[in-house]
Amino acid sequence: MSKIREAFSNSKAFIAFLTAGDPTADCTVNYILEMERAGADLIEIGIPFSDPTAEGVVIQEASLRALEGGITTESVFQIVEEVRKQSQVPLALMTYLNPVFYYGYEAFFSRCHSLGVDGIIVPDLPFEEKAEVERVAARFGVDVVSLIAPTSKERIRTIAKEAKGFIYVVSSMGVTGVRSKITTDIAGMVKEIRAVTDTPCAIGFGISTPEQAAEMAGYADGVIVGSAIVKLIEKYGANAGEELYRYISSMKAAVK
Amino acid sequence: MKENMVSRGRYGNYGGQYIPETLMSELIHLEESYEFYKKDTDFLKELDTLFNEYAGRPSLLYYAEKMTKDLGGAKIYLKREDLNHTGSHKINNVLGQALLAKKMGKTRLIAETGAGQHGVATATAAALFGMECEIFMGEEDTRRQALNVYRMELLGAKVHPVKSGTRTLKDAVNETMREWASRVDDTLYVLGSVMGPHPFPMIVRDFQSVISREAKAQILEKEGKLPSAVVACVGGGSNAMGAFYHFIEDKSVRLIGCEAAGKGVDTALTAATIATGSVGIFHGMKSYFCQDEFGQIAPVYSISAGLDYPGIGPEHAYLHDTGRAEYVPVTDDEAVAAFEYTAKTEGVICAIESAHAIAHVQKIAGSMDKEDIIIVNVSGRGDKDVAAIARYRGRDIHE
């Protein structure tokens, strides 16, 4: 079983996202470990990109803060290296295709493999373009996570059939960010996915409260929370550990 | 379905559709609609009428006799896209896309703009078609081009100052993409250049190719032969792609794209993508980009807001790699000198963007034969630039 599958094996999974290097690389290492202790089943580490077109304001600003702080693709791998000295929590990297392309696919995925990064999420890599990295990622045992959006409709089955790791079900139109209400027919989307695959589904975009998390977990195998976590880090900076622990614990309890 | 779900819109290795899943269905819908309407005689007739009766096409191919004599070599013709309604080539693409949007049942147009030329053209088309219009413009640019902001508002558009990132053109593109991803049903993103994910580079090129279709017929009528060179400025590259397109098959015609070198290609203050950039994947396409050693998109600079973009359209990247077209850098200083030269020599105040192309013509015309012909695309008029050029020359004039 891949480590990502493992994250879904016990109960519903809680997937936590944070932007690497916001506010510092050391903080990122600590926050990952803190979130694992609080019950996060899988951690998504964002490699910041200068122009994150699928991101709302919260993650955009975190990305810029991290880049201004001097974070690079290389230093994100160093963060992973530090985490791996202390933890075997399943890890996925989230970034845009250009930093990966520029690092070199072979070098990037080989590095992921040797550091125990289990998956990668690339919002600007749709099904049509996945040949770009598919083979080399597979060769190094890294799952390239597929995203399915409210507009995917007749594309859902085709995408789901070939999905690896888990399926990222995008709950809402637009970009990442906290939403008061999610109006998409998530149950319908998951039903379409289930018709062709048993790859786990996790729902992301807009989820911030335990109530939303509980509701979304009812439709799928897990929930993904990003902006709400990044907001806490924005607010508490280098002292966000306790707040993160409290928040993640409450979210994990809600999805169980 | 599966067979169709492969990478589309390739120019050699470049192009593609590197875009969030949320937009994929709409891009496919757009492509299918375009493939249908581009063969639809009613659509083509309507577009032709818009071009001829509204935009003022065909644009003149003007023999610049004084410039020719002064430079002492090749015969120089100016393709006068500056005489189009709204003052630039941008209207060609916008009328095409707005008409397509109408046929697709869309009621709202959104677009990015740098200096405001594309925003003004889009707002114009939206007014004409009775559509809603929202324009995204870097906050920095809304300050530099306050007059164009008011112009767009006058045309009924809502202008959103973009406060993210570097607050310039690339950020305006980011924000328009984000807006489109949140509302696709009634909205078309009228992309302003031959860039972005497929099908935009193809659609924009096709609508802009009217430039070379006309120019080719005009030069054959006036001179009975093809030009030796076609010269155009390149940011994203839509006027150049339009000016090159129908000459690509004529191998004897040199195609020359002039990039904005800003303060020089050996400085950080440049926007010359081919000269200083490298291959990357951004804004939906694989192409050349100005970027740092970690693939972060670099801030770019040019005196010309219309060329101030860190990438270039994928078909240009392909024409560059195959050697079919040449790309040369032109500095701010050279462009400003050409701006003034064209005004004094021919009585034409061209856009600072177009002045980059004329600057290169100044460099090459003299060493060419008198039998040679150069067509240079005057992509836009320079009224918008007058105050900035005055300031460049130390005269503190504001619009």
Side-chain angles (χ1 to χ4, degrees):
Chain A
M1 194 184 330
S2 82
K3 297 243 344 199
I4 287 188
R5 285 292 182 111
E6 230 170 77
F8 290 88
S9 59
N10 298 319
S11 59
K12 306 259 176 171
F14 180 76
I15 301 173
F17 169 91
L18 84 180
T19 301
D22 176 36
T24 66
D26 287 345
C27 285
T28 303
V29 173
N30 292 334
Y31 294 166
I32 290 169
L33 297 172
E34 197 71 56
M35 295 199 293
E36 184 197 10
R37 275 194 288 276
D41 300 288
L42 171 71
I43 316 269
E44 242 187 74
I45 305 171
I47 302 177
F49 180 51
S50 54
D51 296 85
T53 48
E55 254 39 89
V57 174
V58 171
I59 296 175
Q60 281 174 41
E61 289 180 352
S63 306
L64 287 185
R65 280 195 302 274
L67 288 171
E68 277 161 19
I71 206 85
T72 63
T73 311
E74 198 49 50
S75 46
V76 177
F77 281 126
Q78 281 157 14
I79 288 171
V80 174
E81 210 168 346
E82 280 307 308
V83 170
R84 278 288 174 253
K85 286 179 187 162
Q86 304 173 61
S87 160
Q88 287 309 310
V89 65
L91 293 175
L93 294 175
M94 207 289 322
T95 192
Y96 290 74
L97 194 53
N98 202 46
V100 183
F101 174 77
Y102 215 78
Y103 196 88
Y105 296 143
E106 185 85 16
F108 188 93
F109 288 104
S110 126
R111 202 76 203 281
C112 287
H113 174 73
S114 62
L115 292 173
V117 170
D118 314 295
I120 181 170
I121 301 161
V122 187
D124 58 349
L125 186 72
F127 186 89
E128 278 78 353
E129 302 295 351
K130 73 186 173 117
E132 189 80 26
V133 298
E134 195 174 35
R135 267 198 208 132
V136 52
R139 191 145 49 76
F140 288 105
V142 179
D143 292 331
V144 180
V145 171
S146 296
L147 289 94
I148 287 177
T151 47
S152 296
K153 309 224 160 87
E154 66 271 27
R155 299 166 54 79
I156 292 180
R157 289 184 182 217
T158 316
I159 297 170
K161 250 186 245 170
E162 297 188 16
K164 305 261 171 26
F166 74 92
I167 294 170
Y168 193 133
V169 180
V170 176
S171 77
S172 309
M173 296 295 288
V175 293
T176 57
V178 171
R179 287 168 172 77
S180 56
K181 231 174 153 184
I182 291 166
T183 54
T184 308
D185 174 19
I186 308 278
M189 286 169 74
V190 175
K191 197 174 154 205
E192 275 292 296
I193 296 169
R194 289 274 184 268
V196 293
T197 182
D198 61 357
T199 302
C201 297
I203 303 169
F205 274 43
I207 302 167
S208 64
T209 66
E211 295 72 37
Q212 284 175 320
E215 187 199 344
M216 291 298 136
Y219 300 128
D221 309 298
V223 300
I224 307 162
V225 172
S227 295
I229 292 170
V230 174
K231 250 182 162 169
L232 279 180
I233 296 174
E234 181 185 348
K235 187 170 169 194
Y236 294 97
N239 306 305
E242 232 173 273
E243 289 297 328
L244 285 174
Y245 184 88
R246 204 172 307 145
Y247 177 68
I248 305 288
S249 304
S250 71
M251 293 297 277
K252 175 63 187 174
V255 302
K256 255 179 188 162
Chain B
M1 181 106 196
K2 176 76 199 299
E3 318 68 82
N4 300 326
M5 288 177 74
V6 293
S7 180
R8 285 190 298 269
R10 290 283 171 175
Y11 307 90
N13 191 29
Y14 302 111
Q17 294 178 294
Y18 302 90
I19 205 82
E21 170 62 21
T22 304
L23 286 170
M24 277 305 301
S25 289
E26 191 57 26
L27 285 177
I28 292 166
H29 178 47
L30 177 62
E31 181 185 354
E32 288 169 352
S33 305
Y34 176 67
E35 291 296 341
F36 175 81
Y37 284 111
K38 80 172 191 189
K39 295 181 209 106
D40 180 67
T41 47
D42 286 343
F43 178 88
L44 295 172
K45 227 169 86 187
E46 248 177 281
L47 183 61
D48 228 36
T49 306
L50 284 166
F51 275 0
N52 299 339
E53 307 295 322
Y54 188 71
R57 304 210 68 88
S59 70
L60 299 174
L61 185 71
Y62 163 73
Y63 171 43
E65 193 176 354
K66 273 184 76 193
M67 195 183 284
T68 299
K69 287 199 173 126
D70 182 58
L71 297 175
K75 247 178 142 172
I76 298 160
Y77 279 87
L78 307 182
K79 180 63 174 162
R80 299 289 308 275
E81 291 298 301
D82 59 315
L83 297 177
N84 295 340
H85 181 44
T86 74
S88 81
H89 70 291
K90 293 288 186 189
I91 195 76
N92 305 331
N93 166 47
V94 164
L95 288 174
Q97 284 201 51
L99 185 61
L100 183 60
K102 184 178 141 193
K103 300 283 182 192
M104 291 170 74
K106 306 283 183 190
T107 55
R108 179 172 173 261
L109 304 180
I110 58 173
E112 86 291 347
T113 198
Q117 295 294 94
H118 178 58
V120 168
T122 306
T124 299
L128 180 67
F129 286 96
M131 290 176 174
E132 264 183 81
C133 182
E134 293 183 37
I135 303 295
F136 294 81
M137 187 172 184
E139 195 188 35
E140 203 54 43
D141 293 333
T142 60
R143 244 181 263 127
R144 286 193 289 205
Q145 299 284 341
L147 203 62
N148 266 341
V149 173
Y150 190 74
R151 200 168 274 142
M152 289 183 264
E153 287 168 355
L154 202 59
L155 290 159
K158 185 167 166 37
V159 180
H160 299 277
V162 174
K163 296 185 172 79
S164 58
T166 55
R167 307 180 179 204
T168 56
L169 180 55
K170 84 174 165 68
D171 309 284
V173 173
N174 294 344
E175 213 49 44
T176 320
M177 280 186 181
R178 291 180 184 123
E179 172 62 25
W180 202 28
S182 73
R183 187 170 162 188
V184 291
D185 285 349
D186 64 348
T187 301
L188 179 67
Y189 178 1
V190 180
L191 230 157
S193 193
V194 287
M195 48 150 295
H198 176 70
F200 285 111
M202 170 181 79
I203 290 179
V204 178
R205 174 202 68 200
D206 286 357
F207 288 141
Q208 290 296 2
S209 70
V210 65
I211 300 171
S212 51
R213 196 170 68 228
E214 287 175 5
K216 195 169 178 176
Q218 287 165 323
I219 201 70
L220 287 174
E221 199 196 309
K222 285 175 196 289
E223 295 282 348
K225 63 178 182 184
L226 291 170
S228 312
V230 176
V231 183
C233 64
V234 184
S238 72
N239 94 80
M241 211 52 238
F244 292 172
Y245 189 63
H246 289 284
F247 292 109
I248 291 175
E249 64 200 34
D250 304 308
K251 297 288 193 295
S252 66
V253 181
R254 283 173 68 190
L255 306 174
I256 306 173
C258 304
E259 296 193 304
K263 302 285 185 196
V265 292
D266 47 357
T267 74
L269 296 174
T270 181
T273 310
I274 294 280
T276 67
S278 53
V279 176
I281 298 165
F282 179 51
H283 278 164
M285 57 181 172
K286 186 179 276 186
S287 189
Y288 284 87
F289 297 95
C290 297
Q291 53 190 331
D292 73 8
E293 74 220 85
F294 299 103
Q296 305 291 345
I297 302 305
V300 288
Y301 163 82
S302 160
I303 189 174
S304 143
L307 304 179
D308 200 357
Y309 180 72
I312 188 169
E315 196 164 4
H316 283 296
Y318 177 67
L319 291 175
H320 165 71
D321 279 14
T322 56
R324 180 63 193 92
E326 313 153 49
Y327 295 84
V328 296
V330 173
T331 64
D332 282 2
D333 283 348
E334 293 168 331
V336 170
F339 179 91
E340 293 164 340
Y341 175 76
T342 311
K344 294 210 168 77
T345 316
E346 292 293 344
V348 174
I349 296 177
C350 69
I352 188 64
E353 288 79 15
S354 321
H356 285 72
I358 293 169
H360 189 66
V361 170
Q362 286 182 277
K363 290 181 201 168
I364 62 170
S367 61
M368 290 168 76
D369 199 89
K370 287 194 163 43
E371 294 302 304
D372 285 325
I373 297 164
I374 298 174
I375 294 177
V376 53
N377 197 37
V378 180
S379 56
R381 69 176 176 227
D383 308 48
K384 67 182 177 54
D385 300 309
V386 170
I389 300 296
R391 290 197 296 277
Y392 192 84
R393 290 301 186 207
R395 291 263 297 274
D396 193 25
I397 297 175
H398 288 267
E399 281 159 351

